Amino acid sequence: DIQMTQSPSSLSASVGDRVTITCRASQSIINYLNWYQQKPGKAPKLLIYVVSSLHRGVPSRFAGSGSETEFTLTISSLQPEDFATYYCQQSFTSPHTFGQGTKLEIK
Amino acid sequence: EAQLLESGGGLVQPGGSLRLSCAASGFSFSNSAMTWVRQAPGKGLEWVATISGNGGLTFYADSVKGRFTISRDNSKNTLYLQMNSLRAGDTAVYYCAKEIIVVVVPALSLWGQGTLVTVSS
């Protein structure tokens, strides 16, 4: 199985900050990489698919990049509603494994 | 508006069975692969199983293979997860999700609200 490792596991930041979350795959997944956002008590939501394409309704302050084994999610200017947990997921091969999550908290 | 609504969760004893349902509306269900994802209390997301639009292809996580069966009834726009031989480690919120394919890359574009399964004596 492909292992997905996110870093950091948690992150404290302030409104207006620029933050970056990294996701590493244990082998090449080319561009089969998606990002999800989950708020407490809620279902996850698709944020970015195919590395860098924003799902409908997702603000342009979110951006994804990377290829092969290393990927990043960047939020250019944190807003209060962005404090949540973020998960990467590979869909290159079954099982479509998720990273362990990155909890973004208010400083 | 596209929507997914899970049901069937509850408390079950170890070794018991439970069937989850996921009612879909607002999109072409039969043309969509569907997935179950679970989340143990305080933990991350775990992909469980996926089924193709016509039900002909199924995929399972090793942790549930042989115990869980994913199926669908396209005439009822409903997805199922039959869970047998349940263990304490299966305790989780179970989400159903709709899969989209963009440039051959699958992603889970629509999620239900989840249903809690608790395995305990």
Side-chain angles (χ1 to χ4, degrees):
Chain A
D1 296 358
I2 296 176
Q3 307 302 317
M4 305 299 291
T5 304
Q6 291 181 231
S7 60
S9 294
S10 63
L11 176 59
S12 294
S14 300
V15 172
D17 283 354
R18 177 187 180 91
V19 298
T20 298
I21 298 169
T22 298
C23 177
R24 290 186 172 88
S26 59
Q27 65 186 73
S28 175
I29 57 170
I30 311 176
N31 64 344
Y32 287 67
L33 192 282
N34 308 308
W35 290 96
Y36 301 86
Q37 177 193 65
Q38 186 180 33
K39 296 182 179 178
K42 300 294 186 182
K45 292 183 178 180
L46 178 62
L47 206 61
I48 290 175
Y49 54 91
V50 196
V51 177
S52 59
S53 296
L54 297 185
H55 191 47
R56 63 178 179 274
V58 175
S60 59
R61 61 181 179 273
F62 290 91
S65 64
S67 66
E68 306 292 344
T69 62
E70 186 151 339
F71 303 88
T72 58
L73 170 67
T74 299
I75 310 172
S76 59
S77 178
L78 275 173
Q79 298 302 300
E81 60 268 28
D82 301 336
F83 292 93
T85 300
Y86 294 86
Y87 295 92
C88 62
Q89 182 211 22
Q90 67 82 17
S91 57
F92 180 66
T93 187
S94 182
H96 290 178
T97 40
F98 291 89
Q100 81 279 16
T102 295
K103 187 174 184 179
L104 180 51
E105 298 175 303
I106 300 175
K107 185 182 288 184
Chain B
E1 180 189 357
Q3 187 171 284
L4 297 169
L5 186 62
E6 301 96 335
S7 60
L11 175 63
V12 61
Q13 292 189 340
S17 298
L18 210 56
R19 188 178 82 157
L20 306 183
S21 299
C22 171
S25 60
F27 65 94
S28 178
F29 181 72
S30 62
N31 288 330
S32 301
M34 298 294 296
T35 289
W36 288 98
V37 174
R38 68 184 181 183
Q39 186 170 37
K43 302 297 184 182
L45 303 173
E46 179 187 13
W47 175 86
V48 173
T50 293
I51 187 168
S52 61
N54 64 7
L57 292 174
T58 56
F59 306 88
Y60 295 94
D62 285 346
S63 58
V64 307
K65 201 174 295 182
R67 300 188 300 122
F68 289 12
T69 301
I70 188 171
S71 64
R72 63 194 298 157
D73 185 337
N74 286 346
S75 70
K76 296 182 178 179
N77 284 355
T78 302
L79 174 72
Y80 302 101
L81 185 67
Q82 177 67 44
M83 304 185 295
N84 299 331
S85 302
L86 283 162
R87 309 163 178 166
D90 296 317
T91 294
V93 174
Y94 285 73
Y95 296 101
C96 65
K98 170 183 176 288
E99 189 176 273
I100 58 169
I101 308 289
V102 181
V103 195
V104 307
V105 177
L108 301 174
S109 66
L110 177 68
W111 296 63
Q113 86 291 347
T115 188
L116 176 62
V117 173
T118 303
V119 184
S120 175
S121 54

